[in-house]
Amino acid sequence: MNDQRPRFEVRAHHTDSTVTVYQAYRPEIGRAAARHGRFTSSWSRERMTWIKPSFLWMMYRCGWGTKKDQETVLAVEISREGFVWALRNACLSHYVPALHGDGGTWKRELRKAPARVQWDPERDLRLDPLPYRSLQLGLAGEAAARYADEWIVGIEDVTPLATEIHGLVREGELDRAAGLLPEERPYPLDDDVLAHLRA
């Protein structure tokens, strides 16, 4: 992987109209979502839901689908319009004086924002941190409702893929494992979309 990437860059598997993000759930929620192509009533709209464009960061978070209540890994294809709307309406999850001025202003923005952004170290195949960042996008309130009802184009259970790649990594077959990873390219965004989110 290229370690010279910009520190804050959105990378994702995307088409002209969609972007793929990842989530992991317990089987009752994840399998039902994949089967129906949408989240069913077992999925809570009241909680913040975090979507991740990075497959490997999702693997780090869910332990390749082995962590409790994260055994089913989903690839959720959403509209590009929805993704950009969430970014435009997001607030950073931590206070940055150069962006927010005083802490009170940031807290007010955070309370009213329907989405929030964290930048965490990207991960390699061994799930070790890389020197550049990966976007995590939290959706609540209006953003969570739009995600569930408007933005989702399709949902795929990619747990078997995660298991296969993990097996190859454990066997030291890193080139073969890398060949199975979803292709994630820099996601084209106007500079103003991320200007308030670069920490």
Side-chain angles (χ1 to χ4, degrees):
M1 289 189 180
N2 176 12
D3 285 354
Q4 304 306 311
R5 292 182 182 278
R7 183 171 168 82
F8 301 108
E9 173 187 65
V10 178
R11 295 169 303 281
H13 182 76
H14 56 89
T15 69
D16 289 343
S17 59
T18 65
V19 56
T20 298
V21 296
Y22 299 94
Q23 296 192 287
Y25 289 100
R26 64 179 187 271
E28 310 91 85
I29 294 177
R31 290 177 185 165
R35 196 162 51 245
H36 294 282
R38 59 181 176 77
F39 289 106
T40 61
S41 58
S42 59
W43 186 79
S44 174
R45 294 164 178 266
E46 308 309 311
R47 297 175 58 188
M48 179 165 288
T49 189
W50 288 89
I51 58 177
K52 303 134 180 105
S54 166
F55 180 83
L56 283 176
W57 203 94
M58 184 72 256
M59 295 307 100
Y60 165 72
R61 181 70 181 83
C62 72
W64 299 98
T66 64
K67 291 185 180 179
K68 180 175 170 53
D69 294 335
Q70 298 185 62
E71 299 93 341
T72 303
V73 183
L74 301 178
V76 185
E77 196 175 14
I78 63 175
S79 70
R80 290 175 74 139
E81 291 84 357
F83 185 64
V84 171
W85 183 93
L87 291 173
R88 286 192 182 279
N89 288 277
C91 180
L92 271 178
S93 62
H94 64 281
Y95 169 56
V96 178
L99 286 176
H100 303 119
D102 65 276
T105 299
W106 166 72
K107 285 181 180 176
R108 285 190 295 276
E109 287 181 11
L110 190 66
R111 272 197 300 272
K112 70 181 183 182
R116 62 184 56 178
V117 159
Q118 290 180 192
W119 295 96
D120 295 301
E122 183 60 282
R123 301 286 159 166
D124 64 16
L125 274 165
R126 296 191 186 279
L127 306 186
D128 292 326
L130 291 167
Y132 48 92
R133 297 283 164 155
S134 178
L135 176 81
Q136 323 303 322
L137 182 57
L139 309 175
E142 181 185 0
R146 287 185 177 218
Y147 173 62
D149 298 333
E150 301 173 18
W151 302 345
I152 293 175
V153 175
I155 301 178
E156 181 184 359
D157 182 349
V158 292
T159 312
L161 176 64
T163 301
E164 183 178 4
I165 294 174
H166 186 207
L168 290 171
V169 171
R170 292 174 69 177
E171 293 165 12
E173 299 279 355
L174 296 186
D175 287 343
R176 288 177 62 199
L180 294 177
L181 290 173
E183 181 192 5
E184 294 172 3
R185 297 171 287 125
Y187 186 85
L189 289 165
D190 292 338
D191 191 64
D192 67 301
V193 176
L194 286 184
H196 65 298
L197 299 171
R198 292 194 184 100

